[in-house]
Amino acid sequence: MVILDRKLLRDLVAWRGTLGAIVVIVACGVATFVAMQSVYDSLSLTQTRYYETYRFGRVFASLTRAPESVAARIAAIPGVRAVQTRVVADVVVDLPGRTDGITARLISIPETGRPALDDLYLREGRMLRPGASDEVLVSEAFARANGLRVGDRLAAVINRRYRRLRIVGIALSPEYVYEIRGAADVWPDNRHFGVIWAARKPLAAAFDLTGAFNDVVVGTAPADADAVIAAMDRILAPYGSTGAYGARDQASHRFLSDEIAQLRVQAVFIPAVFLGIAAFLLDIAVSRLVSTQREQIAILKALGIDTFTLLRHYTKLVILVVAVGVAAGVLLGAWLGLRLTVIYTRFFHFPLLAYRLHPAIVAEAAAIACTAALAGTAIAMVRAARLAPAEAMRPPSPPLYRATLLERLGAAASLPLAARMIARNLERRSWTALGTVLAIAFGVAMLVVGRYGSDAIAFMIDLQFRTIQREDVTLTFSRPVRASARYELAALPGVRAVEPFRALAVRLRAGHRSRRVALLGLPDPSPLLRITDRNLVAHRVPPRGLLLSAQLARLLGITAGEAVTLEVLEGRRIVRTVPVAAVIDDVLGLNAYMNDDALHRLLDEDRTINGAYLAVDPRALDAFDRRAKGLPLIAGIAYRESMLQQFERTIAESMGISIAFLIGFAAAIACGVIYNAGRIVLSERARELATLRILGYSQREIATLVFGELAVLAAAAVPLGWGIGYALCLALAPFYETDVYRLPVVVTPASYAFAAAVAAACALLSSVPLASEMRKLDLQAVLKAVE
């Protein structure tokens, strides 16, 4: 009806402040949903297409040495579609002007043709020329981090020989979308680790693998992967295999899949909170609108407008508000999604990560926002539509005035008059005040949630690099060596302490459950690698049995005191039943520790090591690096301080924009809620405030009453918001639990203070338009009696 449409337009103009704040909150929720969902869609689609186009392998295995004829036996396994044998080795790389440790993974590729699996995408340059033994391709992430270009040269220690290599191309591989050494790493350190592809023939000759291989990739259907893994283990066991594993355990694929899954969770969890708050505010706004339009509703009903038409009228009001919020949210979400996609291209390396906003996502966002708004305002709209004309013509029953709690306790007399008036109003409108406090508290809570990610990551970095890892340098060897090598390491320049370790690949079984992990044998005590849980409690390696991560114990379905079957995936592949001595609730990786003496006894071997943690005088690091690079068996050098700096830069880049937007959205919620609360106070107390002005109260005294009430509500909401925020972090934390890392629920005092400060700033910002509206208060119109 035209008359109702005119009324709708007048209502929109009259309530533009309140409804505008709701539009902002709806837009924030929709923008978060659109951004997260579209990035999830773009990332998962890109992953699928990249894997299919460049033939990502589905089963992987590393071994000591196997003749090329074994590949035919693997190809004959039912379900195997393709087999690619390779020569793979980690080597120390020397770049001009660099003294810190750099490790590269050398991977062979055919001299002619393309790899059957894990094919390369050539970003720059060309492929290798047949017979050119000094030509290599380098990964794009490693090249960018180190400023390498086509035509540059680098050097590597390849099987004890110093070789100079020339870069002829920069490439990408689906096997290293997320470029890390292995599952033990959490964040990429492209400055100190990269992938280098070299021709098969010269690389095999350098490592004495001519006519043989030490790594194999197999293509198979996902449904056949487990059967293929079991068959490959039987075939490769005599050749020193460390056990075949599927794509779910491949480091790059696992990180990428976990990130995609977490995006899916974030696209549901965070927008749900935003839209829930918007629905709550809409309910308050519509309820207040109805209470101020009782006479209009009565007249409309007396003129013959039925209940359904009135219900449709208020529904159109809600839909219009939500529609504006959805339109703004879609535009903002598309822009934010594009920005997030740019961030992801720094960590996940695809030939092309194209951002895509599917129309279905927009439709879903609009449907969710409308459903939430209509559900939140349903009661208020039905109440308005069902008002009888005679009842609507009467003003609402006045509130029951009686002595407040403070007055009954005798405490009111000691308060200033303005404070007593504020206390009376809050107590007499307790449900409205409680709703406002709850709405502001949710705004504060989202500020706490916005800071949670950075707090948790900072805690994990500090725990890992300053509490657990106390070494300066970590050396890894290309193969196990006698423990006496520690004395050679101790003689290197600047070395103050050496803590050797024995690491080996094992499979732990408990019933039908199993996990392939790295078992680390450590001395007791272990001062340079201090095993510490998330509560900062240090644990010693037990003299007998295993010390396991709590996450690993959960996956295996065991507890401390029970036993697991330990299968060594190298050498003689010993199988033993070993008790679980203790479980540690840590935050990174699926860790398994054992006393080094107990481990040597289990392996029935002389004391051997395949790595060491070193404490090195910082002033001697350059001399140490020069000497260490010349050691023949060194496969990798890692400097803790360099890794820490790189990780902190990585976190700043990866989380900075997303956290900034989340905090910005939370601040918008806080501003909108506080402004709406002020509008409600003005609308509910307009007659009272106008009366006070006529009785001689100044504009400043009236403002003291309004803003004082808002200050009390905000002050009560801040601690409640802290509690709600922490509860939301507790609810969100399980979705961030993966095999690789578990975000602890850590919210620092600085984050609580930040949330309170932003809420206070929002209150100050909201006071500006409210003060302007109070100055425009029409005293005559407000004081007209309702007959």
Side-chain angles (χ1 to χ4, degrees), residues 629-764:
K629 287 177 180 177
L631 295 179
L633 291 178
I634 298 296
I637 305 176
Y639 291 87
R640 181 178 61 90
E641 195 61 33
S642 297
M643 289 191 295
L644 174 58
Q645 293 174 3
Q646 178 66 23
F647 290 163
E648 288 176 337
R649 285 194 298 268
T650 298
I651 293 304
E653 291 178 4
S654 64
M655 301 192 69
I657 292 180
S658 57
I659 289 176
F661 275 100
L662 184 57
I663 290 174
F665 289 165
I669 286 179
C671 283
V673 168
I674 294 172
Y675 175 73
N676 257 339
R679 290 276 303 180
I680 290 170
V681 170
L682 283 178
S683 65
E684 288 181 337
R685 302 182 64 187
R687 185 179 179 85
E688 177 186 340
L689 296 175
T691 303
L692 290 174
R693 286 282 290 124
I694 290 174
L695 291 175
Y697 273 67
S698 67
Q699 191 73 46
R700 177 175 296 180
E701 288 171 324
I702 295 297
T704 300
L705 295 177
V706 175
F707 295 137
E709 184 172 326
L710 286 179
V712 171
L713 294 174
V718 166
L720 179 61
W722 289 344
I724 294 173
Y726 189 80
L728 290 174
C729 293
L730 284 173
L732 193 59
F735 297 110
Y736 287 104
E737 287 193 357
T738 69
D739 291 355
V740 180
Y741 63 89
R742 280 80 60 193
L743 280 189
V745 182
V746 176
V747 182
T748 63
S751 292
Y752 289 125
F754 173 81
V758 172
C762 290
L764 290 175

Side-chain angles (χ1 to χ4, degrees), residues 334-357:
W335 180 80
L336 177 57
L338 185 60
R339 294 288 300 166
L340 290 174
T341 303
V342 172
I343 292 175
Y344 276 115
T345 59
R346 300 176 188 175
F347 303 98
F348 298 108
H349 306 286
F350 296 100
L352 176 66
L353 178 51
Y355 176 70
R356 183 183 80 153
L357 177 56

Side-chain angles (χ1 to χ4, degrees), residues 320-402:
L320 278 174
V321 172
V322 173
V324 176
V326 168
V330 168
L331 293 176
L332 181 60
W335 180 80
L336 177 57
L338 185 60
R339 294 288 300 166
L340 290 174
T341 303
V342 172
I343 292 175
Y344 276 115
T345 59
R346 300 176 188 175
F347 303 98
F348 298 108
H349 306 286
F350 296 100
L352 176 66
L353 178 51
Y355 176 70
R356 183 183 80 153
L357 177 56
H358 198 280
I361 296 175
V362 176
E364 190 176 355
I368 292 173
C370 289
T371 301
L374 292 174
T377 57
I379 295 176
M381 288 190 296
V382 169
R383 190 187 302 124
R386 295 179 63 181
L387 270 174
E391 180 186 351
M393 289 295 291
R394 293 193 300 268
S397 301
L400 179 63
Y401 287 95
R402 58 188 177 190

Side-chain angles (χ1 to χ4, degrees), residues 480-545:
V481 300
R482 295 184 65 84
S484 58
R486 65 177 299 172
Y487 300 110
E488 186 178 353
L489 298 178
L492 292 173
V495 173
R496 295 183 295 193
V498 178
E499 185 176 300
F501 60 81
R502 178 74 166 98
L504 69 159
V506 300
R507 181 175 284 113
L508 300 179
R509 299 183 185 276
H512 65 282
R513 302 181 180 184
S514 69
R515 274 295 184 278
R516 185 178 185 273
V517 298
L519 175 61
L520 189 62
L522 293 172
D524 183 32
S526 174
L528 295 183
L529 186 72
R530 187 180 182 189
I531 303 171
T532 308
D533 63 21
R534 67 175 66 203
N535 297 316
L536 304 182
V537 176
H539 295 254
R540 300 183 67 170
V541 182
R544 297 180 183 82

Side-chain angles (χ1 to χ4, degrees), residues 520-582:
L520 189 62
L522 293 172
D524 183 32
S526 174
L528 295 183
L529 186 72
R530 187 180 182 189
I531 303 171
T532 308
D533 63 21
R534 67 175 66 203
N535 297 316
L536 304 182
V537 176
H539 295 254
R540 300 183 67 170
V541 182
R544 297 180 183 82
L546 296 169
L547 174 63
L548 301 182
S549 295
Q551 178 74 355
L552 177 56
R554 281 193 291 269
L555 292 172
L556 294 173
I558 59 171
T559 58
E562 297 182 315
V564 295
T565 300
L566 187 153
E567 178 188 352
V568 178
L569 298 177
E570 59 182 63
R572 293 177 291 138
R573 302 182 71 92
I574 295 170
V575 179
R576 296 283 188 271
T577 299
V578 183
V580 177

Side-chain angles (χ1 to χ4, degrees), residues 573-625:
R573 302 182 71 92
I574 295 170
V575 179
R576 296 283 188 271
T577 299
V578 183
V580 177
V583 171
I584 176 175
D585 190 12
D586 54 8
V587 297
L588 286 179
L590 299 180
N591 299 305
Y593 303 99
M594 197 172 188
N595 180 274
D596 56 353
D597 289 330
L599 180 57
H600 293 314
R601 289 194 299 270
L602 182 138
L603 297 175
D604 192 22
E605 67 175 12
D606 294 333
R607 294 184 63 85
T608 58
I609 60 174
N610 50 5
Y613 302 114
L614 308 179
V616 181
D617 187 341
R619 295 168 296 183
L621 280 176
D622 288 348
F624 169 85
D625 186 76

Side-chain angles (χ1 to χ4, degrees), residues 286-477:
V286 173
S287 297
R288 290 304 309 146
L289 182 63
V290 169
S291 67
T292 59
Q293 295 186 351
R294 293 171 62 92
E295 289 183 62
Q296 297 177 29
I297 293 172
I299 293 171
L300 289 171
K301 286 211 165 188
L303 291 174
I305 294 178
D306 57 68
T307 298
F308 176 77
T309 303
L310 274 175
L311 186 62
R312 186 176 61 187
H313 165 69
Y314 285 106
T315 301
K316 286 169 68 175
L317 172 68
V318 173
I319 293 297
L320 278 174
V321 172
V322 173
V324 176
V326 168
V330 168
L331 293 176
L332 181 60
W335 180 80
L336 177 57
L338 185 60
R339 294 288 300 166
L340 290 174
T341 303
V342 172
I343 292 175
Y344 276 115
T345 59
R346 300 176 188 175
F347 303 98
F348 298 108
H349 306 286
F350 296 100
L352 176 66
L353 178 51
Y355 176 70
R356 183 183 80 153
L357 177 56
H358 198 280
I361 296 175
V362 176
E364 190 176 355
I368 292 173
C370 289
T371 301
L374 292 174
T377 57
I379 295 176
M381 288 190 296
V382 169
R383 190 187 302 124
R386 295 179 63 181
L387 270 174
E391 180 186 351
M393 289 295 291
R394 293 193 300 268
S397 301
L400 179 63
Y401 287 95
R402 58 188 177 190
T404 64
L405 179 62
L406 288 176
E407 291 168 338
R408 292 196 297 271
L409 293 175
S414 60
L415 296 176
L417 179 60
R420 273 181 276 169
M421 294 174 71
I422 291 171
R424 286 194 197 106
N425 190 65
L426 289 175
E427 185 169 340
R428 287 165 182 164
R429 294 181 172 88
S430 56
W431 285 109
T432 301
L434 180 61
T436 303
V437 167
L438 192 60
I440 298 173
F442 268 102
V444 174
M446 292 310 298
L447 290 166
V448 173
V449 172
R451 297 264 300 197
Y452 159 59
S454 57
D455 283 346
I457 295 294
F459 173 84
M460 291 171 63
I461 290 176
D462 188 70
L463 175 63
Q464 186 67 29
F465 288 103
R466 295 187 176 93
T467 303
I468 296 176
Q469 292 182 229
R470 298 187 168 197
E471 82 289 353
D472 297 305
V473 183
T474 302
L475 296 180
T476 54
F477 306 141

